[in-house]
Amino acid sequence: LERRAQNGPGVAVVNPFTYRSAMVRVAETLSATQFAKLVNTMDGSEEIETGPQLLFLGPYDKLVAKSSAVSLSNTEYVLVTNKLNGERSIVKGPCMWFPGPHDEAHTGEAVSMSRTEFIFVEDKLTGDRKTVKGPCVWFPEPFESASKKYNAIVLQEDEYVRLKDKTNGKRWVQKGK
């Protein structure tokens, strides 16, 4: 049984002896910031069509969802997880982000730090920890998470601070500059 789609405008003449049924489907209008998720009912494949366009569905296409792209400012990002293979990636703004057919997204805000602020960053995949010092705007990598922001101790030339490393008990003095 063959299916076919004929896109309009136009006239379709159907031979009553060679077809079982016919239906009229309205094309979907996608603006520049919209996308549509389609499923092919014949083979189960999924695809994303982005605007702007007048979207004509194929003979086996089914419209699953129609939505808007994610608008990112220059301090926002999207953590994208591919549900098919588990791959993760970060998309930084400014941009309009359109998902892939198997993408799941979580938006986040970058950490903006002044000269006297810092954060601790842990890579959840490897367990590595590092310190990121300001001034900067920090965006995470796919498996990183950040602590809250801390304020550094600012020392004048005639000031000092005594420090102790809790892991090995080592002590030292840090002088101001």
Side-chain angles (χ1 to χ4, degrees):
L1 181 67
E2 181 188 336
R3 276 183 150 180
R4 66 182 184 95
Q6 181 173 334
N7 297 334
V11 176
V13 179
V14 182
N15 184 343
F17 300 112
T18 61
Y19 80 96
R20 282 193 180 165
S21 66
M23 65 185 328
V24 176
R25 296 194 293 185
V26 179
E28 292 290 330
T29 304
L30 299 176
S31 72
T33 61
Q34 289 182 316
F35 67 91
K37 184 173 183 178
L38 306 176
V39 172
N40 185 313
T41 57
M42 180 81 146
D43 61 11
S45 63
E46 298 177 357
E47 69 175 294
I48 297 288
E49 291 285 339
T50 60
Q53 69 170 301
L54 185 59
L55 177 64
F56 290 96
L57 300 175
Y60 296 99
D61 288 342
K62 179 181 175 186
L63 180 67
V64 176
K66 182 177 170 182
S67 189
S68 293
V70 178
S71 175
L72 300 172
S73 72
N74 44 344
T75 60
E76 293 178 317
Y77 67 90
V78 174
L79 172 61
V80 182
T81 305
N82 185 315
K83 294 185 290 185
L84 205 57
N85 61 17
E87 195 174 292
R88 295 173 87 176
S89 63
I90 296 285
V91 177
K92 299 176 188 178
C95 69
M96 292 293 289
W97 178 75
F98 292 92
H102 306 287
D103 288 347
E104 184 178 85
H106 299 286
T107 57
E109 188 80 25
V111 180
S112 179
M113 292 175 281
S114 70
R115 189 176 68 83
T116 60
E117 294 177 317
F118 66 95
I119 58 172
F120 295 112
V121 176
E122 182 179 3
D123 188 324
K124 299 287 187 186
L125 195 61
T126 64
D128 293 341
R129 296 187 79 189
K130 65 181 178 181
T131 303
V132 178
K133 300 175 186 177
C136 71
V137 176
W138 177 79
F139 288 91
E141 292 301 318
F143 293 96
E144 288 182 339
S145 67
S147 68
K148 66 178 183 140
K149 278 197 276 188
Y150 293 98
N151 286 314
I153 299 170
V154 180
L155 298 175
Q156 301 300 319
E157 281 188 40
D158 60 340
E159 296 178 322
Y160 70 92
V161 64
R162 288 179 40 189
L163 301 166
K164 179 181 178 182
D165 188 337
K166 290 183 180 180
T167 58
N168 60 17
K170 181 182 172 192
R171 295 175 185 242
W172 70 96
V173 174
Q174 182 71 45
K175 295 179 183 178
K177 295 179 182 177

